[in-house]
Each structure stands twice: as C-alpha cells, then as structure tokens.
Amino acid sequence: MKASDFIVYYLVEKKIQHVFGYPGGMVTHLMDSFSKYQGEISAHVTYHEQGAAFAACGYAQASGKAGVAYATSGPGATNLITGICNAYFDSIPVLFITGQVNSFEGKGNLGVRQRGFQETDIVAMVASVTKYAAKIERAEDLKWHLDYAFGQMMTGRKGPALLDIPMDVFRSEVCPEQLKRYATESKIASSELIEKEIMVLKTELLKAKRPVLLLGNGIKTAGEVKNIRKLVKNLSIPTVSTMLAIDVIPDLNANYGFVGAYGGRAANFIVAKSDLVIAIGARLDVRQVGAKREGFAPHAKIIRIEVDPGELEYKAHGDEIHICEDMSLLLGKWIEQSAGWNLAYGEWNNLCCLIRDKLAGYDDRLPNQIVKAIGKFLPVDAVITTDVGQNQVWVAQSLEVQESQRIFFSGGHGAMGYSLPAAIGCALASDKIVYSFNGDGGIQMNIQELQCIAREKLPVKIIIFNNYALGMIRHFQEMYFGSNYYQTISQGGYLPPDFERLANAYGMDYVPVTSVGDIQPWIFVGRAPAVIEIKINEPTYVFPKLEFGKPNQDQEPLMDRALYEYLNAL
C-alpha cells in the first residue's frame, strides 16, 4: 500500500476518529489517503494551522486518546508551533504530521538556507518542545517511527511528537507486514517501592494535624480523576487545586478552590495554615506558590507526587519529600490501604469551613456574578473551554462545577485564541454541547474557526466577554504605567469587531447579554452553534490578585486588616 495510506490505517487502528489539518502541496498524498477511510476517520479542515493544532489538543483532552494535526511544509509547519508548545507544556499527547519537500529537493548538508520551495527544518525548531521529533527519511522506517512516537506521547508525562515526512516518502509503496516495528517498553511497578512510598504517606498523614491535598492537572492527563475522588473520600482531607484542575473535585464540601496568584482567598489561607501539603500532579510553579517559594505553606511539610523528575528539581521547600512515580501505579494500592488508616481531621475540616464562610463573596464582582449565573444553566455533563485572559480566571473562580462537567484550559503556554478551536476538538470527541468562554481579544486570534463550527454545525456555544479592551493588560497599565492604556482600549489603538454582524455572517444565532438578569436558560440549550456576547461597559479586573513578592493569602485588594489578622491567628 502507499505509505500515506498506511499512516491513516495506523491511526484508525489506534481508534482515532477525528484529525485536523489544512491542505497544502506536501500533504496532498495524506489528504487523499484520508479520503479513502472516511467511514472510519474524519479529517476536518480548519482555517489556520494553529486552529488545527488547538483542535487536536482539545480532542486529546476530551477523549483521552492522542490528537492528530497535519500541515504542509514551511509556513504550514511553523504555524503549528504554538499548538505544539501548548501540548508540551500542558502534557497533551498530540501527533503532529508535517509534509516536507521531496528528499531530492532538500538542502541536505549544503550551506544554503533553503533549496526546495517552502523547505524548513521544522524538526530542529520543535525539538525542545516535543517528546519526540524526527524526519522520516525512508518509507520502510515509517511504522517504527509511528510506534516510537505513540509510545513517547502516551507514557510517563504525556506530550506531543512530530513526524516530518518528505513528499516522496508519502507516495512510496510499503508492505505493512515487512515494516520494522518498535516494541513499546512498559514500566513494571516495583511493589516493594510502592509499599515504601505508601508507608511514607501514611506516616506523615498520621503525624499531621492540618493536612491538605493540592491536586494538579497531572491527575487529568493521567486519566486518574475517578481514582483521586475515591482517595479523597477515603482520607477526608480538605483539598485545593491548581487552576487547571478545578474540575477534579467538584464537591464544594471537600474542595476549597484553586490556589495561587489569582486563586481564591480561602484556598490560599488554608494552604498557609496547613502543616502538610501533598501535591499530586501539580508543578508548584510561580503562579501557584508565589515568587518567594519558601513562603508557600510556610509551616508545612511538602510531599510531591510527580512523574517528571525534572519538575522535582524546582523545589518550593528545601526539605520536600519526593515520590517520583506514575500515579496510575500508586493510586490503586493507596486507595486500598487508606480505607483502614483511621484518620481524623474533624477540627481541621471545621476550621477550613470557617475560613471559607468568612471569605464567601469577598471578591464578587459583575463578571464573577455572570459566570456564576451562566453555570446554573449549563448541562450536568457540559464540556467547557476557556481562553486566556480575564475570562479564564473568572470561570475558574466562579463557575460552580458539577461532577460530570469538564473544563479545559491553555495553562502553561497561556495561548490566546485557544478556546474556540479547542472547543471544535472537544465537540467531536465528546458529542456534548461545548461552552467556549472567550474574551473579545482572545477570540480574534482564531476567529476564522467560526467557519469550521458553522460548516459542520457543531454544538458549540461561543460566550464572549466583551469589555472593549484587552482587560488583563489594561489592568497592568493601570497598576504600573500610570493608566497609560496604549494599545489596550479603543482610544489607545485597540477595537473589537461588531460580534452581532460577525455571527450573522457565519449564519449563527446571536444573543446579547448586558446584565445578570439577561441570562436565561433558553440561551444555553439546543445543539445549534450560537454567539452569546456579554457586554460589560465598565473597566474589569481580576481580583483577588497577588502582588509580586507577597504571601499568597495577602492578595489585592487588601482585605480588612482585622479579618486578615483574625484568620492568620486561627
């Protein structure tokens, strides 16, 4: 069979049903091959390669399978790079396939910058942000590279891979039975080591009076949400999360919100008052622990459960206990044993409830009220995507997540323009209605993907918070640049489009919202795509917000000092 046919056949065997890409000369053979398997796999045309990359990320996040995005050589390949970075930093398994000029056209070792038209060394460009990147020089090596790429993407800390394939390799004939294979190595858990690790956890939990679990995105990427919920029930320990993991424990009686610079005051106070923090799949980056890392949970011992040894090199406390383990190998035994540990933290749980109650509604502003109101009308199994900016934080702070709802972000890379194309991948992966939260700035980064949603009639509700500004940067300018709003508001050079006319141009329903009272249940039902514009005619802020160098629990705007001192003394 033709090599490009084998690639598609291979993806079908991996149970991948949807892939994303944009046509180009060097991938025409691959496109033709996708057409031969239309009953088993669908290749969806986005309107920019970055849109394809983000859609593949969304598909992987919502399905638990690998995502796939493809693009032609040169500008097609380089347009994927932002999506590749997003997949790498958020541990999303996505296979990126790029076309390359024919082998006989390539520059090889010549000193020229470029020999073939649109020739670009994409492998060198993405080597530092992929788990594996390679140019396939010979068709007979195709299966080996595919096997190895999938093995790398789906094991350990997950992430993307890129295979760059010259056009003459795509069109080569191969015999599948004779192709070289790569045998994926499976990690065998050492039962003795697992027992030792669980004994460490038990010992520290029995000593602790005020323990807290800090849950991170690694739980979601490992597919271990159900097991973590079982563990939390067994341990009866207060939990907090990172922003990306707010949907892991939706039970408001157990979860006190997310920590960090824009996190909830209650979550940050609870961590500050704890004597043991067990961080599971959380990187403890600056946004989570603050600039002065030693000030995070200052009275607590920290245990970090992390599959990536590199992350453990970046310590918050010098005396951290590290369990460098795949949580999938650890959790089953931990759940089984912890059921009999007889842990009792009633007084600490009551104190955490008191802190939460004292701070309830402390930062309840209009955008937060709108998000909370929207949340009441979302289906219990809704899939939600957010963009980057104020809208992202408002959703994380104020959406009351239900047990079967899932929320996906662009976290580490923080890419504006993520929500809309990611919603495409999520919709195709889940067949659920997807609610795509956006700012008026971020949505314009990939606004062309409205056409993909309209063309395929995908069940995506596009919610745009329009504050007529690049709100988060406008706030920085207010704080640090004497309110010089250059390039962030209409008087300074920035202006959003007319979203109603835009929705009409794409044949979508349009709903304007100007107050909390305008939010009605009918807006969010039905599978027809729609644009819902939240018009906010006032300067917007993300509060609480941590000032650089301060402890996490002392966020801006400064809370009443008497209340602050009272909570500090508890």
Side-chain angles (χ1 to χ4, degrees):
M1 66 198 310
K2 192 165 65 168
S4 58
D5 289 348
F6 175 76
I7 293 170
V8 177
Y9 170 78
Y10 186 95
L11 298 178
V12 169
E13 289 291 295
K14 291 289 185 182
K15 309 297 184 186
I16 295 167
Q17 296 173 297
H18 301 278
V19 302
F20 309 89
Y22 195 83
M26 297 302 109
V27 287
T28 49
H29 285 280
L30 183 63
M31 294 157 52
D32 183 67
S33 296
F34 278 123
S35 75
K36 300 174 184 178
Y37 289 82
Q38 289 184 69
E40 299 169 272
I41 191 168
S42 297
H44 301 269
V45 176
T46 58
Y47 292 88
H48 193 286
E49 291 88 354
Q50 187 183 106
F54 286 160
C57 287
Y59 178 82
Q61 287 176 308
S63 70
K65 305 173 187 176
V68 177
Y70 61 91
T72 193
S73 62
T78 57
N79 279 344
L80 292 173
I81 291 177
T82 298
I84 293 170
C85 291
N86 184 80
Y88 186 70
F89 295 123
D90 282 359
S91 308
I92 305 172
V94 180
L95 176 64
F96 294 91
I97 301 173
T98 52
Q100 187 53 273
V101 300
N102 289 298
S103 301
F104 56 82
E105 295 178 289
K107 70 186 184 74
N109 294 322
L110 293 176
V112 296
R113 294 186 179 186
Q114 181 188 55
R115 184 182 176 198
F117 173 66
Q118 293 188 332
E119 180 185 8
T120 305
D121 187 356
I122 189 65
V123 170
M125 291 182 182
V126 303
S128 67
V129 287
T130 52
K131 291 193 73 177
Y132 180 62
K135 181 179 179 181
I136 300 179
E137 306 277 3
R138 305 185 310 163
E140 52 264 40
D141 297 330
L142 185 56
K143 179 167 173 50
W144 189 97
H145 284 287
L146 285 165
D147 286 344
Y148 188 77
F150 269 86
Q152 290 295 301
M153 291 190 314
M154 301 302 292
T155 57
R157 184 177 180 180
K158 296 176 182 176
L162 180 139
L163 296 179
D164 191 41
I165 306 176
M167 193 175 187
D168 56 314
V169 174
F170 272 131
R171 65 174 178 262
S172 298
E173 291 293 319
V174 297
C175 180
E177 293 76 17
Q178 296 177 8
L179 293 176
K180 290 193 301 183
R181 301 165 183 268
Y182 175 79
T184 304
E185 299 175 4
S186 57
K187 182 177 179 180
I188 300 174
S190 164
S191 56
E192 184 178 340
L193 178 59
I194 295 288
E195 289 291 342
K196 286 182 179 179
E197 291 166 343
I198 291 173
M199 185 54 64
V200 169
L201 291 163
K202 180 180 180 180
T203 300
E204 295 301 329
L205 281 167
L206 288 171
K207 286 194 298 187
K209 303 295 184 186
R210 295 182 170 191
V212 63
L213 295 178
L214 171 53
L215 310 179
N217 189 50
I219 294 166
K220 293 165 68 172
T221 61
E224 292 295 334
V225 171
K226 287 183 180 179
N227 276 334
I228 285 292
R229 290 177 179 179
K230 291 178 185 176
L231 180 69
V232 169
K233 188 175 181 180
N234 278 4
L235 298 178
S236 296
I237 295 175
T239 67
V240 295
S241 74
T242 64
M243 180 190 285
L244 272 63
I246 60 168
D247 54 344
V248 170
I249 305 292
D251 182 1
L252 296 179
N253 293 316
N255 181 13
Y256 291 88
F258 75 97
V259 298
Y262 295 106
R265 294 183 191 269
N268 283 328
F269 258 105
I270 286 166
V271 170
K273 306 202 71 61
S274 67
D275 61 4
L276 174 67
V277 175
I278 302 177
I280 307 176
R283 296 189 300 114
L284 302 190
D285 72 348
V286 172
R287 284 288 183 95
Q288 294 163 8
V289 307
K292 295 183 177 179
R293 297 177 69 76
E294 68 279 3
F296 176 74
H299 312 296
K301 180 170 286 187
I302 295 179
I303 300 176
R304 297 176 66 179
I305 301 172
E306 171 63 60
V307 72
D308 183 352
E311 293 292 350
L312 297 174
E313 295 176 13
Y314 189 29
K315 295 182 179 181
H317 290 187
D319 60 349
E320 292 174 353
I321 296 173
H322 292 165
I323 298 177
C324 190
E325 189 65 82
D326 186 330
M327 72 179 77
S328 300
L329 305 177
L330 177 72
L331 280 178
K333 188 68 71 173
W334 190 4
I335 292 167
E336 178 186 321
Q337 295 193 18
S338 63
W341 284 358
N342 195 29
L343 303 173
Y345 304 113
E347 185 178 338
W348 171 230
N349 276 292
N350 290 337
L351 181 60
C352 291
C353 289
L354 173 66
I355 293 171
R356 180 184 60 200
D357 294 344
K358 288 287 184 183
L359 293 170
Y362 205 90
D363 298 284
D364 198 20
R365 290 170 170 78
L366 177 61
N368 300 88
Q369 294 167 10
I370 289 171
V371 169
K372 194 171 291 185
I374 290 172
K376 296 182 186 303
F377 301 128
L378 300 188
V380 295
D381 59 352
V383 178
I384 296 152
T385 62
T386 82
D387 215 88
V388 171
Q390 291 180 328
N391 73 91
Q392 177 188 45
V393 183
W394 294 330
V395 169
Q397 290 176 337
S398 301
L399 193 73
E400 294 181 357
V401 185
Q402 299 185 57
E403 186 171 350
S404 297
Q405 291 176 344
R406 294 183 293 168
I407 306 179
F408 300 116
F409 302 88
S410 172
H413 201 46
M416 290 176 71
Y418 185 70
S419 181
L420 190 65
I424 293 170
C426 288
L428 291 164
S430 67
D431 199 34
K432 309 287 187 188
I433 300 176
V434 180
Y435 296 85
S436 170
F437 285 83
N438 304 265
D440 56 281
I443 195 170
Q444 294 185 76
M445 293 284 185
N446 277 307
I447 203 164
Q448 73 285 340
E449 302 311 333
L450 288 172
Q451 179 61 20
C452 181
I453 292 170
R455 184 192 71 228
E456 302 204 14
K457 298 181 174 58
L458 297 175
V460 178
K461 306 296 184 184
I462 301 127
I463 301 164
I464 304 170
F465 281 87
N466 187 2
N467 56 6
Y468 306 91
L470 299 176
M472 192 164 275
I473 306 306
R474 188 211 63 81
H475 187 190
F476 287 167
Q477 290 171 326
E478 181 178 314
M479 293 176 65
Y480 303 119
F481 297 95
S483 298
N484 177 21
Y485 301 131
Y486 184 59
Q487 297 185 342
T488 57
I489 64 173
S490 58
Q491 296 90 337
Y494 168 81
L495 194 66
D498 183 326
F499 288 110
E500 180 176 7
R501 293 174 68 184
L502 198 65
N504 292 337
Y506 286 104
M508 293 184 183
D509 292 336
Y510 169 82
V511 182
V513 171
T514 57
S515 68
V516 174
D518 291 340
I519 298 168
Q520 300 296 323
W522 64 267
I523 298 173
F524 306 100
V525 300
R527 293 177 65 85
V531 173
I532 301 151
E533 182 182 7
I534 315 291
K535 299 182 178 182
I536 303 177
N537 294 301
E538 62 182 57
T540 56
Y541 302 88
V542 171
F543 287 133
K545 179 183 187 300
L546 185 64
E547 185 178 319
F548 186 83
K550 283 194 172 183
N552 275 12
Q553 70 273 21
D554 197 12
Q555 296 161 288
E556 301 286 333
L558 294 178
M559 60 192 298
D560 176 79
R561 289 294 92 180
L563 177 59
Y564 180 81
E565 295 302 332
Y566 167 77
L567 295 176
N568 250 357
L570 290 174

